[in-house]
Amino acid sequence: MLRLPLPEGYHLPGSTRYLGLGRFDPSARFVDGVFWFAAHTPDGPGSLSLTRDGSALTAHAYGDGATWLLAHAAAIAGLNDDVTEFPALAAAHPLVAELARVHRGVRLPATGLVFPRLTRAVLEQKVTGKEAFRGWSGLVRRHGTPAPGPCPDLWVPPTAEVVAGLTYWALHPLGVEQRRAQTILRAATLAATLSRCPDSASLTRRLLDIPGIGPWTAAETVRTVFGDPDAVSVGDFHIPNTVAWGLAGEARGDDARMLTLLAPFTGHRGRVCVLLETAGIAAPRFGPRMPIRSFARF
């Protein structure tokens, strides 16, 4: 057990929301007010619980990976996220300054675990949220293992070694087509090398060398692995519009416009995107929703 002091205004749900894919993620979710996170650590599988207790966060861990998870509990909770420079940058725009004040308790977590976050990011490429959840949840439940500890129905995502042993068509019943499946298998064979990258920049370079992984997937990965506050998901369907609407009142924007608007916040550009989403700011929608497809019988 570990007790971690909290900064003023710290918000546990807001700081851990990107560690899971929705509230029913089998590997990371809230249960009765407690945040649970399951992972295969360098020491083995384990689970971590985080509970707000007044001005402190209480952490418990279970399984072979318990010691590793407790050692990284502060980073996983976002408590190592350095926001000291951000208020001065946020002052460049009235909305960003207001978001920095209202949502000052939202911190960026850093798990230090590359492969599970990379796998989830690949599964989220160019599909609806429901399709991404179906693929991730199915992969975790079919090829992962039950997590140690008292949390019911919590699962440890599969290791890179397990995934590397799959065929790409083994992912078809999960709704994952050949392109994304093969990208995941490539990543699995390189997982050991990727996990040795010491920082966000080096991991981004290596990720971009892998066929099927572009700037969006790399940014989504390093933001969570290293808590990179400057990682911008270039190539996203919604974020350029959100940034253009929130910062300039423009209903539509492309990646170039997004990066121009975010330039004053260099060093924390990704944080601005996170705060816009946290505040529920979204551009008007004019077109139909993307249809949900199925590859299960392909």
Side-chain angles (χ1 to χ4, degrees), residues 12-298:
L12 178 60
S15 300
T16 56
R17 64 177 294 187
Y18 293 103
L19 293 178
L21 189 56
R23 58 178 178 160
F24 299 113
D25 189 317
S27 64
R29 67 179 186 274
F30 274 89
V31 178
D32 296 330
V34 179
F35 180 73
W36 286 90
F37 178 76
H40 199 283
T41 76
D43 296 336
S47 67
L48 174 72
S49 71
L50 298 173
T51 309
R52 179 71 183 261
D53 182 14
S55 60
L57 198 64
T58 301
H60 292 87
Y62 308 87
D64 293 340
T67 300
W68 190 95
L69 285 168
L70 284 178
H72 291 79
I76 292 171
L79 298 180
N80 292 351
D81 182 21
D82 185 1
V83 297
T84 54
E85 297 179 353
F86 184 57
L89 290 175
H93 191 285
L95 175 62
V96 179
E98 178 68 4
L99 295 179
R101 183 188 66 81
V102 173
H103 299 289
R104 66 188 184 281
V106 174
R107 303 301 175 92
L108 300 180
T111 66
L113 300 169
V114 178
F115 182 68
R117 184 60 186 97
L118 174 58
T119 301
R120 207 188 88 195
V122 173
L123 290 172
E124 292 178 89
Q125 290 177 348
K126 299 185 183 301
V127 297
T128 65
K130 288 184 178 180
E131 288 175 281
F133 174 80
R134 182 174 61 191
W136 172 246
S137 178
L139 179 68
V140 171
R141 292 183 182 278
R142 289 196 184 198
H143 302 289
T145 56
C151 183
D153 198 30
L154 187 71
W155 289 76
V156 177
T159 64
E161 292 77 12
V162 168
V163 174
L166 301 177
T167 58
Y168 77 81
W169 56 85
L171 301 184
H172 279 191
L174 310 180
V176 183
E177 84 291 346
Q178 181 176 352
R179 182 188 60 81
R180 284 183 297 153
Q182 289 184 325
T183 300
I184 290 171
L185 298 184
R186 290 189 201 102
T189 63
L190 297 169
T193 300
L194 296 173
S195 67
R196 290 194 291 269
C197 292
D199 53 38
S200 179
S202 60
L203 178 56
T204 297
R205 288 193 296 270
R206 287 194 174 273
L207 289 175
L208 294 178
D209 286 337
I210 301 174
I213 294 179
W216 184 90
T217 304
E220 290 289 310
T221 301
V222 301
R223 187 185 303 114
T224 300
V225 174
F226 291 106
D228 185 348
D230 200 45
V232 181
S233 300
V234 173
D236 192 88
F237 185 77
H238 297 291
I239 294 177
N241 297 334
T242 298
V243 172
W245 180 251
L247 301 189
E250 300 165 2
R252 291 293 177 264
D254 57 15
D255 286 328
R257 180 58 173 156
M258 173 181 70
L259 293 175
T260 297
L261 291 169
L262 291 174
F265 314 103
T266 297
H268 292 268
R269 296 176 301 170
R271 189 187 307 280
V272 173
C273 296
V274 168
L275 290 178
L276 288 169
E277 184 174 354
T278 299
I281 295 172
R285 294 184 178 183
F286 301 122
R289 291 179 178 269
M290 181 183 292
I292 297 177
R293 305 162 296 169
S294 174
F295 301 96
R297 297 182 181 179
F298 279 27

